[in-house]
Amino acid sequence: MADDDTTDDDTADGGGVTAVWDLAADTRAAAQARALTRRSLRRWRVTGPADIDDIVLIVDELVTNAVVHGTGPVHLALRLEATRAGVRLTGEIGDADPRAPGAPAGPPPVLDWSEAGRGLLLVACLATEFGARPAPPGKTVWFTRDLDPLDIPALTADAPAN
């Protein structure tokens, strides 16, 4: 179960805001991650529909990979921060399996309607950057997304709704 029962999962510092959850590695993890991501983006006043949809899709794909290919609980962390170029969201998805994901496969040479095997290709297309690093006992797969400059939010978290 996610730590989404608490309403104070956001932390703020001078450079940005962060939200962190641990999700059970089960069939509900991706849906929980999507809902938690949307909630945090809304609270952080990220308003660009393309940014929101793309970030939620990236999180969904990486959490799904952690559940299907990893072990143990799934750790999800999101951070929104100011950079010299604008505002950047960084996402980190961790699990207890130390094996790094393979490089994303390119598009198939012929029309292929299969639904599996496209997750990392989607992440590579939608993220500004992404990669993986060891995080004993497992790994963390991370991504960044530079937000649309026309939709740059204030770097504060709204007070939790009661």
Side-chain angles (χ1 to χ4, degrees), residues 33-117:
R34 289 191 305 269
L36 293 166
T37 299
R38 279 194 189 281
R39 183 180 81 188
S40 291
L41 294 175
R42 186 172 47 251
R43 287 172 61 175
W44 296 342
R45 300 184 188 114
V46 174
T47 59
D51 286 329
I52 294 167
D53 291 345
D54 290 353
I55 291 164
V56 169
L57 179 57
I58 292 168
V59 167
D60 177 80
E61 292 295 337
L62 294 178
V63 168
T64 298
N65 280 357
V67 170
V68 171
H69 303 290
T71 59
V74 177
H75 182 76
L76 170 60
L78 301 173
R79 178 164 178 77
L80 187 68
E81 61 191 330
T83 68
R84 292 178 198 253
V87 175
R88 173 175 280 190
L89 182 117
T90 300
E92 296 183 337
I93 294 83
D95 67 70
D97 186 340
R99 293 176 294 157
V110 295
L111 185 59
D112 180 0
W113 294 101
S114 65
E115 294 182 19

Coordinates of all heavy atoms in Angstrom, one line a residue, residues 33-117:
A33 N 0.5 5.0 -8.5 CA 1.6 5.9 -9.0 C 1.0 7.0 -9.9 O 1.3 8.2 -9.7 CB 2.7 5.2 -9.7
R34 N 0.1 6.6 -10.8 CA -0.5 7.6 -11.7 C -1.3 8.7 -10.8 O -1.2 9.9 -11.0 CB -1.4 7.0 -12.7 CG -0.7 6.2 -13.8 CD -1.7 5.8 -14.9 NE -2.8 5.0 -14.5 CZ -2.9 3.7 -14.4 NH1 -1.8 3.0 -14.7 NH2 -4.0 3.1 -14.0
A35 N -2.1 8.2 -9.9 CA -2.9 9.1 -9.1 C -2.1 9.9 -8.2 O -2.3 11.2 -8.1 CB -3.9 8.2 -8.2
L36 N -1.1 9.4 -7.6 CA -0.2 10.2 -6.7 C 0.6 11.2 -7.5 O 0.8 12.4 -7.1 CB 0.8 9.3 -6.0 CG 0.2 8.3 -5.0 CD1 1.2 7.2 -4.5 CD2 -0.3 9.1 -3.8
T37 N 1.0 10.9 -8.7 CA 1.7 11.8 -9.6 C 0.8 13.0 -10.0 O 1.2 14.1 -9.9 CB 2.3 11.1 -10.8 OG1 3.2 10.1 -10.4 CG2 3.0 12.0 -11.8
R38 N -0.4 12.6 -10.5 CA -1.3 13.7 -10.9 C -1.6 14.6 -9.7 O -1.7 15.8 -9.8 CB -2.6 13.1 -11.4 CG -2.6 12.6 -12.8 CD -4.0 12.3 -13.4 NE -3.8 11.7 -14.6 CZ -3.6 12.4 -15.8 NH1 -3.4 13.7 -15.8 NH2 -3.5 11.7 -16.9
R39 N -1.8 14.0 -8.5 CA -2.1 14.8 -7.3 C -1.0 15.8 -7.0 O -1.2 17.0 -6.7 CB -2.4 13.9 -6.1 CG -2.8 14.7 -4.9 CD -3.1 13.8 -3.7 NE -1.9 13.4 -3.1 CZ -1.7 12.6 -2.1 NH1 -2.8 11.9 -1.7 NH2 -0.6 12.3 -1.6
S40 N 0.2 15.3 -7.0 CA 1.4 16.1 -6.7 C 1.5 17.2 -7.8 O 1.8 18.4 -7.4 CB 2.7 15.3 -6.6 OG 2.6 14.5 -5.5
L41 N 1.4 16.9 -9.1 CA 1.5 17.9 -10.1 C 0.5 19.0 -9.9 O 0.7 20.2 -10.1 CB 1.5 17.3 -11.5 CG 2.6 16.3 -11.8 CD1 2.3 15.7 -13.2 CD2 3.9 17.0 -11.8
R42 N -0.7 18.6 -9.6 CA -1.8 19.5 -9.4 C -1.5 20.4 -8.2 O -1.7 21.7 -8.2 CB -3.2 18.8 -9.1 CG -4.4 19.7 -9.0 CD -5.7 18.9 -9.0 NE -5.7 17.7 -8.1 CZ -5.7 16.4 -8.5 NH1 -5.6 16.1 -9.8 NH2 -5.7 15.5 -7.6
R43 N -1.0 19.8 -7.1 CA -0.7 20.6 -5.9 C 0.5 21.6 -6.1 O 0.6 22.6 -5.5 CB -0.4 19.7 -4.7 CG -1.6 19.0 -4.2 CD -1.4 17.9 -3.2 NE -0.7 18.5 -2.0 CZ -0.4 17.7 -0.9 NH1 -0.7 16.5 -0.9 NH2 0.3 18.3 0.1
W44 N 1.4 21.2 -7.0 CA 2.5 22.0 -7.4 C 2.2 23.0 -8.5 O 3.1 23.7 -8.9 CB 3.7 21.1 -7.8 CG 4.2 20.2 -6.7 CD1 4.0 20.4 -5.3 CD2 5.0 19.1 -6.8 NE1 4.6 19.4 -4.6 CE2 5.3 18.6 -5.5 CE3 5.6 18.4 -7.9 CZ2 6.1 17.4 -5.4 CZ3 6.4 17.3 -7.7 CH2 6.6 16.8 -6.4
R45 N 0.9 23.0 -8.9 CA 0.5 24.0 -9.9 C 1.1 23.8 -11.3 O 1.3 24.7 -12.0 CB 0.6 25.4 -9.4 CG -0.1 25.7 -8.2 CD 0.0 27.1 -7.8 NE -0.6 27.3 -6.5 CZ 0.1 27.7 -5.4 NH1 1.4 27.9 -5.5 NH2 -0.5 27.8 -4.2
V46 N 1.5 22.5 -11.6 CA 1.9 22.2 -13.0 C 0.6 22.1 -13.8 O -0.2 21.3 -13.5 CB 2.7 20.9 -13.0 CG1 3.0 20.5 -14.5 CG2 4.0 21.0 -12.2
T47 N 0.5 23.0 -14.8 CA -0.8 23.1 -15.5 C -0.7 22.6 -17.0 O -1.8 22.5 -17.6 CB -1.3 24.5 -15.5 OG1 -0.3 25.4 -16.1 CG2 -1.6 25.0 -14.1
G48 N 0.5 22.5 -17.6 CA 0.5 22.1 -19.0 C 0.0 20.7 -19.2 O 0.6 19.8 -18.7
P49 N -1.1 20.6 -20.0 CA -1.6 19.3 -20.2 C -0.6 18.3 -20.8 O -0.6 17.1 -20.4 CB -2.8 19.5 -21.2 CG -3.1 21.0 -21.1 CD -1.8 21.6 -20.7
A50 N 0.2 18.7 -21.7 CA 1.2 17.8 -22.3 C 2.2 17.4 -21.3 O 2.6 16.2 -21.2 CB 1.9 18.5 -23.5
D51 N 2.7 18.3 -20.4 CA 3.6 18.0 -19.4 C 3.0 16.9 -18.4 O 3.5 15.9 -18.1 CB 4.0 19.2 -18.6 CG 5.0 20.1 -19.3 OD1 5.8 19.5 -20.1 OD2 5.0 21.3 -19.1
I52 N 1.7 17.2 -18.0 CA 1.1 16.3 -17.0 C 0.9 14.9 -17.6 O 1.3 13.9 -17.0 CB -0.3 16.9 -16.6 CG1 -0.1 18.2 -15.8 CG2 -1.1 15.9 -15.8 CD1 -1.3 19.0 -15.5
D53 N 0.3 14.9 -18.8 CA 0.1 13.6 -19.4 C 1.4 12.8 -19.7 O 1.4 11.6 -19.4 CB -0.7 13.7 -20.8 CG -2.1 14.2 -20.6 OD1 -2.6 14.2 -19.4 OD2 -2.7 14.7 -21.6
D54 N 2.4 13.5 -20.2 CA 3.7 12.8 -20.4 C 4.3 12.3 -19.1 O 4.8 11.2 -19.1 CB 4.6 13.7 -21.2 CG 4.2 14.0 -22.6 OD1 3.2 13.3 -23.1 OD2 4.8 14.8 -23.3
I55 N 4.3 13.1 -18.1 CA 5.0 12.7 -16.8 C 4.2 11.5 -16.2 O 4.8 10.6 -15.8 CB 5.0 13.9 -15.9 CG1 6.0 14.9 -16.4 CG2 5.4 13.5 -14.5 CD1 5.9 16.3 -15.7
V56 N 2.9 11.6 -16.3 CA 2.1 10.5 -15.7 C 2.4 9.2 -16.5 O 2.5 8.1 -15.9 CB 0.6 10.8 -15.7 CG1 -0.3 9.6 -15.4 CG2 0.3 11.9 -14.7
L57 N 2.5 9.3 -17.8 CA 2.8 8.1 -18.6 C 4.2 7.6 -18.3 O 4.4 6.4 -18.2 CB 2.6 8.4 -20.1 CG 2.9 7.3 -21.1 CD1 2.1 6.1 -20.8 CD2 2.8 7.8 -22.5
I58 N 5.2 8.4 -18.2 CA 6.5 8.0 -17.9 C 6.5 7.3 -16.5 O 7.1 6.2 -16.4 CB 7.5 9.2 -17.8 CG1 7.7 9.8 -19.2 CG2 8.8 8.8 -17.2 CD1 8.4 11.1 -19.2
V59 N 5.9 7.8 -15.5 CA 5.8 7.2 -14.2 C 5.1 5.9 -14.3 O 5.6 4.9 -13.8 CB 5.1 8.1 -13.2 CG1 4.8 7.4 -11.9 CG2 6.0 9.3 -12.9
D60 N 4.0 5.8 -15.0 CA 3.3 4.6 -15.2 C 4.2 3.5 -15.8 O 4.2 2.3 -15.3 CB 2.1 4.8 -16.1 CG 1.3 3.5 -16.4 OD1 0.5 3.1 -15.5 OD2 1.5 3.0 -17.5
E61 N 4.9 3.8 -16.9 CA 5.7 2.8 -17.5 C 6.9 2.3 -16.6 O 7.2 1.1 -16.6 CB 6.3 3.4 -18.8 CG 5.3 3.7 -19.9 CD 4.7 2.4 -20.5 OE1 5.3 1.3 -20.3 OE2 3.6 2.5 -21.0
L62 N 7.5 3.3 -15.9 CA 8.6 2.9 -15.1 C 8.2 2.1 -13.8 O 8.9 1.2 -13.4 CB 9.5 4.1 -14.7 CG 10.2 4.8 -15.9 CD1 10.9 6.0 -15.4 CD2 11.1 3.8 -16.6
V63 N 7.1 2.5 -13.2 CA 6.5 1.7 -12.1 C 6.1 0.3 -12.6 O 6.4 -0.7 -11.9 CB 5.4 2.4 -11.4 CG1 4.6 1.5 -10.4 CG2 5.9 3.7 -10.7
T64 N 5.5 0.2 -13.7 CA 5.1 -1.1 -14.3 C 6.3 -2.0 -14.5 O 6.3 -3.1 -14.1 CB 4.3 -0.9 -15.6 OG1 3.1 -0.2 -15.3 CG2 4.0 -2.3 -16.2
N65 N 7.4 -1.4 -15.1 CA 8.6 -2.2 -15.2 C 9.2 -2.6 -13.9 O 9.7 -3.8 -13.8 CB 9.7 -1.3 -16.0 CG 9.5 -1.3 -17.4 OD1 8.6 -1.9 -18.0 ND2 10.3 -0.5 -18.1
A66 N 9.1 -1.8 -12.9 CA 9.6 -2.2 -11.6 C 8.8 -3.3 -11.0 O 9.4 -4.2 -10.4 CB 9.6 -1.0 -10.6
V67 N 7.5 -3.3 -11.2 CA 6.7 -4.4 -10.7 C 6.9 -5.7 -11.5 O 7.1 -6.7 -10.9 CB 5.2 -4.0 -10.7 CG1 4.3 -5.2 -10.4 CG2 4.9 -2.9 -9.7
V68 N 7.0 -5.6 -12.8 CA 7.1 -6.8 -13.6 C 8.5 -7.4 -13.6 O 8.6 -8.6 -13.6 CB 6.6 -6.4 -15.1 CG1 6.9 -7.6 -16.1 CG2 5.2 -6.1 -15.1
H69 N 9.5 -6.5 -13.7 CA 10.8 -7.0 -13.8 C 11.7 -6.9 -12.6 O 12.8 -7.5 -12.5 CB 11.6 -6.2 -15.0 CG 10.8 -6.3 -16.3 ND1 10.8 -7.5 -17.0 CD2 10.2 -5.4 -17.0 CE1 10.1 -7.3 -18.1 NE2 9.7 -6.0 -18.1
G70 N 11.3 -6.1 -11.6 CA 12.0 -5.9 -10.4 C 11.6 -6.8 -9.2 O 10.8 -7.7 -9.4
T71 N 12.0 -6.5 -8.0 CA 11.6 -7.2 -6.8 C 11.4 -6.2 -5.7 O 11.9 -5.1 -5.7 CB 12.7 -8.2 -6.4 OG1 13.9 -7.5 -6.1 CG2 12.9 -9.3 -7.4
G72 N 10.6 -6.6 -4.7 CA 10.4 -5.8 -3.5 C 9.5 -4.6 -3.8 O 8.9 -4.4 -4.9
P73 N 9.3 -3.8 -2.8 CA 8.5 -2.6 -2.9 C 9.1 -1.6 -3.9 O 10.3 -1.7 -4.2 CB 8.4 -2.0 -1.5 CG 9.6 -2.6 -0.8 CD 9.9 -3.9 -1.4
V74 N 8.2 -0.8 -4.5 CA 8.6 0.2 -5.5 C 8.7 1.6 -4.8 O 7.7 2.0 -4.1 CB 7.6 0.2 -6.7 CG1 8.0 1.3 -7.6 CG2 7.5 -1.1 -7.3
H75 N 9.8 2.2 -4.9 CA 10.0 3.5 -4.3 C 9.8 4.6 -5.4 O 10.4 4.5 -6.5 CB 11.4 3.6 -3.8 CG 11.7 4.9 -3.1 ND1 11.2 5.3 -1.8 CD2 12.4 6.0 -3.5 CE1 11.6 6.5 -1.5 NE2 12.3 7.0 -2.5
L76 N 8.9 5.5 -5.2 CA 8.6 6.6 -6.2 C 8.9 7.9 -5.5 O 8.4 8.2 -4.5 CB 7.2 6.5 -6.6 CG 6.6 7.7 -7.4 CD1 7.4 7.9 -8.8 CD2 5.1 7.5 -7.7
A77 N 9.8 8.7 -6.2 CA 10.1 10.1 -5.7 C 10.0 11.0 -6.9 O 10.4 10.8 -8.0 CB 11.5 10.1 -5.1
L78 N 9.3 12.2 -6.6 CA 9.2 13.3 -7.6 C 9.7 14.5 -7.0 O 9.5 14.8 -5.8 CB 7.7 13.5 -8.0 CG 7.0 12.3 -8.6 CD1 5.5 12.6 -8.8 CD2 7.6 11.9 -9.9
R79 N 10.5 15.3 -7.8 CA 11.0 16.6 -7.3 C 10.9 17.6 -8.4 O 11.2 17.4 -9.6 CB 12.5 16.4 -7.0 CG 13.1 17.7 -6.5 CD 14.4 17.6 -5.8 NE 15.0 18.8 -5.4 CZ 14.6 19.6 -4.4 NH1 13.6 19.2 -3.6 NH2 15.2 20.7 -4.1
L80 N 10.3 18.7 -8.1 CA 10.1 19.9 -9.0 C 11.1 21.0 -8.5 O 11.0 21.3 -7.3 CB 8.7 20.4 -8.9 CG 8.3 21.4 -9.9 CD1 8.3 20.9 -11.3 CD2 6.9 22.0 -9.6
E81 N 12.0 21.4 -9.4 CA 12.9 22.4 -8.9 C 13.3 23.4 -10.1 O 13.1 23.1 -11.2 CB 14.2 21.8 -8.4 CG 14.9 20.9 -9.5 CD 16.0 20.1 -8.8 OE1 16.6 20.5 -7.8 OE2 16.2 19.0 -9.4
A82 N 13.7 24.6 -9.6 CA 14.1 25.6 -10.6 C 15.5 25.3 -11.0 O 16.4 24.8 -10.3 CB 14.1 27.0 -9.9
T83 N 15.8 25.5 -12.3 CA 17.1 25.4 -12.9 C 17.4 26.7 -13.6 O 16.6 27.6 -13.8 CB 17.2 24.2 -13.9 OG1 16.4 24.5 -15.0 CG2 16.7 22.9 -13.3
R84 N 18.6 26.8 -14.1 CA 19.0 28.0 -14.9 C 18.1 28.1 -16.2 O 17.8 29.2 -16.6 CB 20.4 28.0 -15.3 CG 21.4 28.2 -14.2 CD 22.8 28.1 -14.6 NE 23.7 27.8 -13.5 CZ 24.5 28.7 -13.0 NH1 24.5 29.9 -13.5 NH2 25.3 28.4 -12.0
A85 N 17.7 27.0 -16.7 CA 16.9 27.0 -17.9 C 15.4 27.1 -17.7 O 14.7 27.3 -18.7 CB 17.2 25.7 -18.7
G86 N 14.9 26.9 -16.5 CA 13.5 26.9 -16.2 C 13.1 26.1 -15.0 O 13.8 26.1 -14.0
V87 N 12.1 25.3 -15.2 CA 11.7 24.4 -14.1 C 11.8 22.9 -14.7 O 11.3 22.6 -15.8 CB 10.2 24.7 -13.7 CG1 9.7 23.7 -12.7 CG2 10.2 26.1 -13.1
R88 N 12.3 22.1 -13.8 CA 12.5 20.7 -14.2 C 11.9 19.8 -13.1 O 12.0 20.0 -12.0 CB 14.0 20.4 -14.3 CG 14.3 18.9 -14.5 CD 15.8 18.7 -14.7 NE 16.1 19.1 -16.1 CZ 17.2 18.8 -16.7 NH1 18.2 18.3 -16.0 NH2 17.4 19.2 -17.9
L89 N 11.2 18.7 -13.6 CA 10.7 17.7 -12.8 C 11.7 16.5 -12.9 O 12.0 16.1 -14.0 CB 9.3 17.2 -13.2 CG 8.8 16.2 -12.2 CD1 7.6 16.7 -11.4 CD2 8.5 14.9 -12.9
T90 N 12.1 15.9 -11.8 CA 12.9 14.7 -11.8 C 12.1 13.6 -11.1 O 11.5 13.8 -10.0 CB 14.2 14.9 -11.0 OG1 14.9 15.9 -11.6 CG2 15.0 13.6 -11.0
G91 N 12.0 12.5 -11.7 CA 11.3 11.3 -11.1 C 12.3 10.2 -10.9 O 13.2 10.0 -11.7
E92 N 12.1 9.5 -9.8 CA 13.0 8.3 -9.5 C 12.1 7.2 -9.1 O 11.2 7.3 -8.2 CB 14.0 8.6 -8.4 CG 15.0 9.7 -8.8 CD 16.0 10.0 -7.7 OE1 15.7 9.7 -6.5 OE2 17.1 10.5 -8.0
I93 N 12.3 6.0 -9.7 CA 11.6 4.8 -9.4 C 12.6 3.7 -9.1 O 13.5 3.4 -9.9 CB 10.7 4.4 -10.6 CG1 9.6 5.4 -10.9 CG2 10.1 3.0 -10.3 CD1 10.0 6.5 -11.7
G94 N 12.5 3.2 -7.8 CA 13.5 2.2 -7.4 C 12.8 0.9 -7.0 O 11.7 0.9 -6.6
D95 N 13.6 -0.2 -7.1 CA 13.2 -1.5 -6.6 C 14.5 -2.2 -6.2 O 15.6 -1.7 -6.3 CB 12.4 -2.3 -7.7 CG 13.3 -2.7 -8.9 OD1 14.2 -3.5 -8.7 OD2 13.1 -2.1 -10.0
A96 N 14.3 -3.4 -5.6 CA 15.4 -4.1 -5.0 C 16.1 -5.1 -5.9 O 17.0 -5.7 -5.5 CB 14.8 -5.0 -3.8
D97 N 15.8 -5.1 -7.2 CA 16.6 -5.9 -8.2 C 17.7 -5.0 -8.8 O 17.5 -4.0 -9.3 CB 15.6 -6.3 -9.3 CG 16.3 -7.3 -10.3 OD1 17.5 -7.4 -10.3 OD2 15.6 -8.0 -11.0
P98 N 19.0 -5.5 -8.6 CA 20.1 -4.7 -9.1 C 20.3 -4.6 -10.6 O 21.0 -3.8 -11.1 CB 21.3 -5.3 -8.4 CG 20.9 -6.8 -8.2 CD 19.4 -6.7 -7.9
R99 N 19.6 -5.5 -11.3 CA 19.7 -5.5 -12.8 C 19.2 -4.2 -13.4 O 18.0 -3.9 -13.2 CB 19.1 -6.7 -13.4 CG 19.7 -8.0 -13.0 CD 18.9 -9.2 -13.6 NE 17.6 -9.2 -12.9 CZ 16.6 -9.8 -13.5 NH1 16.6 -10.4 -14.6 NH2 15.4 -9.8 -12.8
A100 N 20.0 -3.5 -14.2 CA 19.6 -2.3 -14.9 C 18.7 -2.7 -16.1 O 18.9 -3.8 -16.7 CB 20.8 -1.5 -15.3
P101 N 17.8 -1.9 -16.4 CA 17.0 -2.1 -17.6 C 17.8 -2.1 -18.9 O 18.8 -1.3 -18.9 CB 15.9 -1.1 -17.6 CG 16.4 0.0 -16.8 CD 17.4 -0.6 -15.8
G102 N 17.5 -2.8 -19.9 CA 18.2 -2.7 -21.1 C 17.9 -1.4 -21.9 O 17.0 -0.7 -21.5
A103 N 18.7 -1.1 -22.9 CA 18.4 0.1 -23.7 C 17.1 -0.1 -24.4 O 16.7 -1.2 -24.8 CB 19.6 0.2 -24.7
P104 N 16.4 1.0 -24.6 CA 15.1 0.9 -25.3 C 15.3 0.5 -26.7 O 16.2 0.9 -27.4 CB 14.5 2.3 -25.2 CG 15.7 3.2 -24.9 CD 16.7 2.4 -24.2
A105 N 14.5 -0.5 -27.2 CA 14.5 -0.9 -28.5 C 14.0 0.2 -29.4 O 13.1 1.0 -29.0 CB 13.7 -2.2 -28.7
G106 N 14.5 0.3 -30.6 CA 14.0 1.3 -31.6 C 12.6 0.8 -32.1 O 12.2 -0.3 -31.8
P107 N 12.0 1.6 -33.0 CA 10.8 1.2 -33.6 C 11.0 -0.1 -34.4 O 12.0 -0.3 -35.0 CB 10.4 2.4 -34.4 CG 11.4 3.4 -34.3 CD 12.5 2.9 -33.4
P108 N 9.9 -0.9 -34.5 CA 10.1 -2.1 -35.3 C 10.2 -1.8 -36.8 O 9.7 -0.8 -37.2 CB 8.8 -2.9 -35.0 CG 7.8 -1.8 -34.6 CD 8.6 -0.8 -33.9
P109 N 10.9 -2.7 -37.5 CA 11.1 -2.4 -39.0 C 9.8 -2.6 -39.8 O 9.7 -2.0 -40.8 CB 12.2 -3.4 -39.4 CG 12.1 -4.5 -38.4 CD 11.6 -3.8 -37.1
V110 N 8.9 -3.3 -39.2 CA 7.6 -3.5 -39.9 C 6.5 -3.2 -38.9 O 6.7 -3.2 -37.6 CB 7.4 -4.9 -40.5 CG1 8.4 -5.2 -41.6 CG2 7.5 -5.9 -39.4
L111 N 5.3 -3.0 -39.3 CA 4.2 -2.7 -38.4 C 4.0 -3.8 -37.4 O 3.9 -5.0 -37.8 CB 2.9 -2.5 -39.2 CG 1.7 -2.1 -38.5 CD1 1.9 -0.7 -37.7 CD2 0.5 -1.9 -39.4
D112 N 4.0 -3.5 -36.2 CA 3.9 -4.5 -35.1 C 2.9 -4.0 -34.1 O 3.1 -3.0 -33.5 CB 5.3 -4.7 -34.5 CG 5.3 -5.7 -33.3 OD1 4.3 -6.3 -33.0 OD2 6.4 -5.9 -32.7
W113 N 1.8 -4.8 -33.9 CA 0.8 -4.3 -33.0 C 0.9 -4.9 -31.6 O 0.0 -4.7 -30.8 CB -0.6 -4.8 -33.6 CG -0.9 -4.1 -34.8 CD1 -0.8 -4.6 -36.1 CD2 -1.4 -2.7 -35.0 NE1 -1.1 -3.6 -37.0 CE2 -1.5 -2.5 -36.4 CE3 -1.7 -1.7 -34.1 CZ2 -2.0 -1.3 -36.9 CZ3 -2.1 -0.5 -34.6 CH2 -2.3 -0.3 -36.0
S114 N 2.1 -5.5 -31.3 CA 2.2 -6.0 -29.9 C 2.3 -4.8 -28.9 O 2.7 -3.7 -29.2 CB 3.5 -6.8 -29.8 OG 4.6 -6.0 -30.0
E115 N 1.7 -5.1 -27.7 CA 1.6 -4.1 -26.7 C 2.8 -4.1 -25.7 O 3.0 -3.1 -24.9 CB 0.3 -4.2 -25.9 CG -0.9 -3.9 -26.8 CD -2.2 -4.0 -26.1 OE1 -2.1 -3.9 -24.8 OE2 -3.2 -4.2 -26.7
A116 N 3.6 -5.1 -25.7 CA 4.7 -5.2 -24.8 C 6.0 -4.7 -25.4 O 6.2 -4.8 -26.6 CB 4.9 -6.7 -24.3
G117 N 6.9 -4.3 -24.6 CA 8.2 -3.9 -25.0 C 8.4 -2.5 -25.5 O 9.4 -2.2 -26.1

